[in-house]
């Protein structure tokens, strides 16, 4: 599908910058290049030109690259103008280009939407491109690159192809049971493959939490009584003064969060209000938030002042927990040895003792939870929901022996339909606005 209008946008980073890239796509692209660059340029080769408005006014000088469709990102004619990255230069260039008949400013994600509509990418690859643009860690980048290259899509399409084949065999057995060239009793083979596929999809769905950790981060929550050293550890791990530290109990009353990059993985570290009985009204709200945050954690750090242990009450969570003894610098050598046997780690944020070892353990646990970044995992809740629906249809097809073969074949069709919706192989118009609205304007 080639659009009737052309779109233009700034496709590079925040201004001012050394260089800004303006991208245009659509049927007017060639005319815009010829007019502004003073003539056509060789396809896919950077050309240094002086850029002029239609009235001859010089706008800037820079590089222009023309990508004729359909061999372009969007499948349409596409051009890029590489100009000096000043705000005034970019504003004047955008004003000039959008002033051509049939050219308008792009909406968020519209370049990628055109690529999808023209069959250049599918929905899973589109979502992976968004992840790639937003990637902050090496693990996020690798995960997004793998999905953008179609590995995830191919898995879903392979399941869909198997279901289409299974349905065809069942229907052939129904319609042509008396024909010699239709293998007899294909049902056993078909249903055996369906049973295997259910297991494959279940195992794939189980990997969603690992994908969440790669994309959103490994959640670490610091808990403890007031003045147990939570904010001091928070600052030590963040390597900056992110939290206020005082001797007054209840200083931290809200959740404070920083993001760490440990071994290429994103780790979200949260400091919480001290847990104690009979707090003030405001502090009680902070304690409630702390306990709620702990319920969603991937790892808890439960801190205790070795010199003055304070109970925090029951910590009800399924997350793994590390018991940390703090203020090690105030202990004698013998007392420190005794304390080491009561805690997973003993630390001092004053002299740094034990902090690096604790940080390494957090990184190790994050890596374990994320698994192998090269694994094919469902990268969106949308995928998990549709995969779950597909498996429900497969189980009904497999288990409902009382239903006729026709109804069981229909369940296979519905399962294949759900897999097709993940990659956009069937009508998914209702999802497009949501997906593409997540992109920046120039993508």
């Amino acid at each position: 599908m080639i659009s009737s209008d052309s779109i233009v946008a700034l496709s590079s980073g925040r201004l001012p910058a050394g260089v800004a890239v303006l991208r245009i796509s659509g049927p007017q692209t060639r005319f815009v290049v010829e007019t502004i660059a003073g003539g056509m340029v060789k396809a896919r080769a950077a050309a240094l030109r002086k850029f002029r408005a239609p009235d001859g006014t010089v706008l800037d000088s820079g590089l222009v690259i023309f990508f004729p469709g359909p061999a372009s990102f969007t499948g349409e004619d596409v051009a890029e103008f590489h100009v000096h990255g000043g705000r005034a230069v970019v504003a004047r260039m955008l004003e000039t280009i959008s002033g051509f008949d049939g050219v308008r400013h792009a909406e968020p994600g519209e370049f990628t939407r055109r690529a999808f509509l023209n069959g250049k990418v599918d929905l899973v690859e589109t979502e992976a491109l968004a992840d790639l643009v937003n990637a902050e860690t090496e693990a996020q980048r690798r995960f997004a690159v793998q999905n953008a290259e179609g590995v995830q899509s191919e898995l879903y399409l392979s399941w869909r192809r198997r279901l289409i084949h299974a349905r065809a065999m069942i229907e052939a057995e129904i319609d042509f049971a008396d024909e010699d060239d239709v293998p007899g009793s294909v049902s056993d083979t078909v249903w055996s493959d369906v049973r295997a596929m259910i297991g494959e999809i279940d195992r794939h769905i189980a990997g969603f939490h690992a994908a969440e950790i790669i994309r959103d981060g490994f959640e670490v929550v610091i808990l403890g009584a007031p003045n147990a050293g939570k904010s001091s550890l928070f600052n030590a791990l963040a390597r900056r003064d992110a939290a206020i530290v005082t001797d007054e109990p209840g200083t931290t009353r809200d959740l404070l969060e920083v993001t760490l990059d440990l071994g290429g993985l994103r780790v979200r570290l949260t400091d919480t209000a001290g847990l104690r009985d009979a707090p003030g009204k405001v502090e009680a709200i902070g304690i409630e938030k702390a306990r709620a945050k702990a319920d969603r954690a991937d790892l808890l750090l439960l801190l205790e002042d070795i010199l003055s242990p304070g109970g925090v009450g029951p910590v009800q969570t399924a997350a793994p927990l590390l018991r940390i003894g703090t203020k090690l610098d105030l202990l004698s050598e013998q007392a420190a040895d005794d304390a080491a046997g009561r805690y997973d780690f003993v630390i001092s944020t004053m002299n740094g003792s034990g902090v690096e070892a604790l940080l390494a353990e957090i990184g190790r646990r994050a890596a374990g939870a994320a698994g192998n970044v090269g694994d094919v995992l469902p990268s969106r809740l949308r995928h998990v929901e549709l995969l779950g629906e597909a498996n429900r249809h497969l189980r009904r097809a497999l288990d409902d022996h009382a239903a006729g073969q026709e109804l069981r074949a229909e369940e296979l069709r519905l399962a294949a339909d759900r897999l097709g919706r993940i990659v956009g192989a069937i009508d998914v118009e209702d999802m497009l606005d949501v997906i593409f609205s997540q992109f920046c304007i120039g993508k």
Side-chain angles (χ1 to χ4, degrees):
M1 185 203 78
I2 304 299
S3 303
S4 60
D5 56 354
S6 298
I7 53 175
V8 63
L10 172 66
S11 292
S12 54
R14 182 178 299 176
L15 303 176
V19 175
V21 179
L22 309 181
R23 176 185 285 175
I24 179 173
S25 176
Q28 284 75 32
T29 298
R30 184 181 294 269
F31 177 69
V32 170
V33 170
E34 290 174 343
T35 303
I36 291 182
M40 200 53 207
V41 297
K42 184 179 178 181
R44 296 179 182 81
L48 177 62
R49 294 293 178 91
K50 185 166 290 186
F51 302 141
R52 299 177 183 272
D55 63 2
T57 303
V58 175
L59 304 173
D60 193 16
S61 60
L63 299 177
V64 57
I65 309 173
F66 177 68
F67 305 90
S72 69
F73 173 67
T74 63
E76 305 171 330
D77 285 349
V78 173
E80 291 180 356
F81 294 95
H82 296 221
V83 300
H84 293 93
R87 291 188 176 90
V89 173
V90 171
R92 188 71 175 90
M93 285 287 295
L94 287 174
E95 179 185 4
T96 300
I97 295 173
S98 62
F100 284 83
D101 289 340
V103 182
R104 59 175 175 80
H105 290 282
E107 298 176 357
E110 192 168 3
F111 286 92
T112 308
R113 182 168 185 152
R114 291 189 178 200
F116 168 74
L117 294 175
N118 290 325
K120 307 299 289 188
V121 292
D122 62 32
L123 278 186
V124 174
E125 292 166 345
T126 294
E127 291 165 328
L129 288 174
D131 287 342
L132 192 57
V133 170
N134 295 320
E136 297 176 344
T137 67
E138 175 61 13
Q140 290 174 334
R141 184 197 66 80
R142 289 170 57 193
F143 186 56
V145 165
Q146 176 179 255
N147 291 337
E149 290 179 342
V151 176
Q152 190 180 359
S153 296
E154 179 53 34
L155 175 64
Y156 301 149
L157 290 173
S158 70
W159 283 333
R160 185 168 182 259
R161 286 193 295 268
R162 284 163 64 183
L163 288 180
I164 292 172
H165 174 74
R167 182 183 169 207
M169 297 304 294
I170 291 294
E171 292 181 348
E173 188 176 67
I174 294 171
D175 295 338
F176 306 105
D178 297 333
E179 299 293 333
D180 293 336
D181 57 349
V182 176
S185 189
V186 298
S187 296
D188 290 344
T189 302
V190 167
W191 299 123
S192 176
D193 188 48
V194 168
R195 184 177 294 105
M197 195 181 308
I198 290 172
E200 293 170 23
I201 293 175
D202 278 339
R203 288 189 292 274
H204 183 69
I205 291 174
F208 180 57
H209 184 58
E212 285 186 303
I213 288 173
I214 294 171
R215 291 185 67 247
D216 302 327
F218 183 74
E219 193 82 51
V220 180
V221 176
I222 303 175
L223 296 177
N227 279 355
K230 299 184 301 301
S231 295
S232 295
L233 176 61
F234 182 74
N235 288 342
L237 295 178
R239 292 186 170 88
R240 62 186 176 88
D241 291 335
I244 298 173
V245 178
T246 72
D247 294 330
E248 180 182 341
T251 300
T252 301
R253 298 189 174 189
D254 206 346
L255 303 178
L256 299 177
E257 184 176 294
V258 295
T259 300
L260 311 178
D261 185 339
L262 299 183
L265 285 169
R266 187 183 190 205
V267 175
R268 295 205 309 267
L269 182 68
T270 303
D271 185 21
T272 63
L275 306 181
R276 63 173 172 173
D277 296 327
K281 185 176 181 180
V282 175
E283 192 179 349
I285 296 173
I287 291 174
E288 183 62 29
K289 285 185 176 182
R291 293 192 181 278
K293 188 72 171 178
D295 289 339
R296 303 189 299 272
D298 296 306
L299 177 65
L300 295 179
L301 306 182
L302 184 58
L303 272 58
E304 187 174 87
D305 183 342
I306 300 173
L307 294 174
S308 180
V312 297
V315 178
Q316 297 177 343
T317 176
L321 185 147
L322 293 177
R323 296 186 178 276
I324 315 294
T326 63
K327 306 182 183 179
L328 178 63
D329 57 290
L330 301 179
L331 273 64
S332 66
E333 185 175 343
Q334 180 60 48
D337 291 340
D338 294 340
R342 304 197 306 270
Y343 301 98
D344 296 304
F345 289 87
V346 287
I347 65 170
S348 168
T349 56
M350 293 298 294
N351 60 28
S353 296
V355 174
E356 287 301 320
L358 175 58
L359 193 63
E361 177 65 12
I362 294 172
R364 186 187 70 78
R365 290 183 177 244
N372 185 350
V373 177
D375 291 342
V376 182
L377 305 172
S379 56
R380 290 289 195 284
L381 180 59
R382 178 181 76 86
H383 305 168
V384 173
E385 291 172 345
L386 288 168
L387 288 166
E389 290 181 22
N391 252 6
R392 284 192 289 275
H393 287 298
L394 292 180
R395 286 192 171 91
R396 281 199 287 267
L398 186 66
D399 298 336
D400 193 358
H401 299 286
Q405 292 283 65
E406 294 90 345
L407 293 178
R408 298 175 77 186
E410 175 63 11
E411 293 291 352
L412 296 182
R413 186 193 70 79
L414 292 172
D417 172 271
R418 298 309 184 268
L419 295 172
R421 285 177 178 270
I422 299 177
V423 297
I426 61 173
D427 183 33
V428 288
E429 186 64 30
D430 55 333
M431 294 184 293
L432 296 186
D433 289 341
V434 174
I435 291 172
F436 291 106
S437 66
Q438 302 171 28
F439 283 81
C440 56
I441 296 292
K443 189 64 176 174

